[in-house]
Amino acid sequence: MYTAMEPTLFLMLIAEVLQDIGSVSALSTTATPPTPGLSLRLAGTYNYCEGRVEVYYKGAWGTVCGNNWDIKDAEVVCQQLGCGNAVEALSWPKFGSGSGKIVLSDVQCKGDEFFLWDCKNPGWEVHNCNHEQDATVLCTDEKYKPAGTEGDVVFMQLVGGPNRCAGRVEVTFFANWRKEVCSEGWDIRDAQVVCNELYCGTALSALSDGSFGKGDSGPLMTHVDCSGSEDYLLSCPYEYRPATCGNYNDAAVICSDSGLTPTGMPDFGSSTIFA
């Protein structure tokens, strides 16, 4: 039989639960859970949401071994850091090896855990790994570190050609490992901005046929759409960080100061033979 006190007790219990929930701090790009002394971050890049997985344990940052590392483990990392969904889970240190202790290994998440260390694992500092196996994660979101935090460098160059005024376009953006510009939509207006930025004269050709080879990094930008009057390529509209270039080659440019003489003037992405 119910008594008059039971609704009151129930409301008090609900209030207490809500108070406890509200006391849990929001997750951030360096996620510190209620468990004292533990935290999580992605290191080695300009972006809080991609990098080498590191856990703060016993007063120091350590890495996570990539043994059995998969997309479900990466998903827990991205969700814990508030970085969206996992794009890629790598079992090697794409952004450079870490240092110090390896604190976790053989992590086996189901994908719905709140914290990485809640996933099944053999225990803290139990591993048979080295830093060439440091786990890496790429998430969908981007959260920039302040300028000067890591590799505060932005510059462009033409590579694979005979000199600095002809070649494949590569853009170094902070410490981003991606440098390639996809040739989808690449035309003479885009090439003109490149030539102006590099003080290489007038654009003679905008190449999309892979004349200067393919880069060994990843695509930084695609669908570049310059008007031709911009001072910098990064000032033009573009799509940032595509997954791949698809069927398109790396964008390339021939500027007048290269000394090359195209035998056919550019036709907005057509092949151009030069002498």
Side-chain angles (χ1 to χ4, degrees):
M1 176 180 291
Y2 294 104
T3 68
M5 288 296 294
E6 286 177 339
T8 302
L9 290 173
F10 177 76
L11 290 174
M12 290 176 62
L13 178 61
I14 291 297
E16 183 176 349
V17 170
L18 291 174
Q19 183 177 8
D20 288 343
I21 292 174
S23 67
V24 178
S25 59
L27 299 179
S28 67
T29 50
T30 301
T32 305
T35 307
L38 293 177
S39 191
L40 176 73
R41 71 179 182 186
L42 296 176
T45 78
Y46 73 101
N47 179 6
Y48 284 113
C49 293
E50 65 179 20
R52 182 178 59 254
V53 183
E54 294 191 350
V55 174
Y56 193 79
Y57 174 69
K58 288 188 175 179
W61 288 101
T63 61
V64 175
C65 177
N67 281 354
N68 297 312
W69 189 254
D70 63 24
I71 198 68
K72 288 182 288 187
D73 308 323
E75 187 66 29
V76 171
V77 170
C78 294
Q79 293 294 328
Q80 181 175 343
L81 293 174
C83 283
N85 297 317
V87 175
E88 196 167 5
L90 302 172
S91 59
W92 55 281
K94 188 175 190 68
F95 304 107
S97 300
S99 59
K101 294 183 178 179
I102 298 172
V103 296
L104 286 174
S105 178
D106 293 286
V107 177
Q108 298 179 51
C109 300
K110 293 180 293 182
D112 58 359
E113 294 87 349
F114 286 109
F115 304 110
L116 182 65
W117 38 84
D118 288 342
C119 301
K120 182 180 179 181
N121 67 81
W124 292 104
E125 298 182 19
V126 178
H127 67 87
N128 183 25
C129 305
N130 57 56
H131 285 299
E132 295 303 312
Q133 299 165 276
D134 289 344
T136 297
V137 165
L138 283 73
C139 308
T140 53
D141 290 359
E142 289 191 69
K143 298 180 182 180
Y144 295 101
K145 297 177 182 177
T149 304
E150 293 211 38
D152 184 15
V153 176
V154 178
F155 71 93
M156 180 175 62
Q157 61 182 342
L158 299 179
V159 299
N163 54 54
R164 71 178 192 86
C165 291
R168 183 177 69 251
V169 183
E170 284 195 353
V171 178
T172 298
F173 186 58
F174 293 87
N176 200 325
W177 60 278
R178 303 168 182 263
K179 297 182 180 181
E180 299 167 28
V181 177
C182 303
S183 63
E184 186 170 3
W186 188 252
D187 64 31
I188 198 65
R189 294 179 293 255
D190 309 321
Q192 186 59 56
V193 173
V194 170
C195 293
N196 287 341
E197 184 174 345
L198 295 175
Y199 297 96
C200 283
T202 302
L204 299 181
S205 187
L207 298 167
S208 60
D209 61 357
S211 294
F212 294 104
K214 179 171 176 55
D216 57 2
S217 60
L220 179 73
M221 52 200 299
T222 188
H223 290 117
V224 179
D225 187 22
C226 302
S227 68
S229 62
E230 294 86 353
D231 292 323
Y232 305 102
L233 187 66
L234 287 171
S235 298
C236 302
Y238 62 88
E239 179 184 328
Y240 181 64
R241 216 177 71 155
T244 70
C245 283
N247 295 324
Y248 293 89
N249 296 305
D250 292 354
V253 169
I254 299 174
C255 306
S256 58
D257 288 359
S258 67
L260 300 179
T261 305
T263 58
M265 290 307 288
D267 185 21
F268 288 90
S270 64
S271 296
T272 300
I273 302 172
F274 49 87

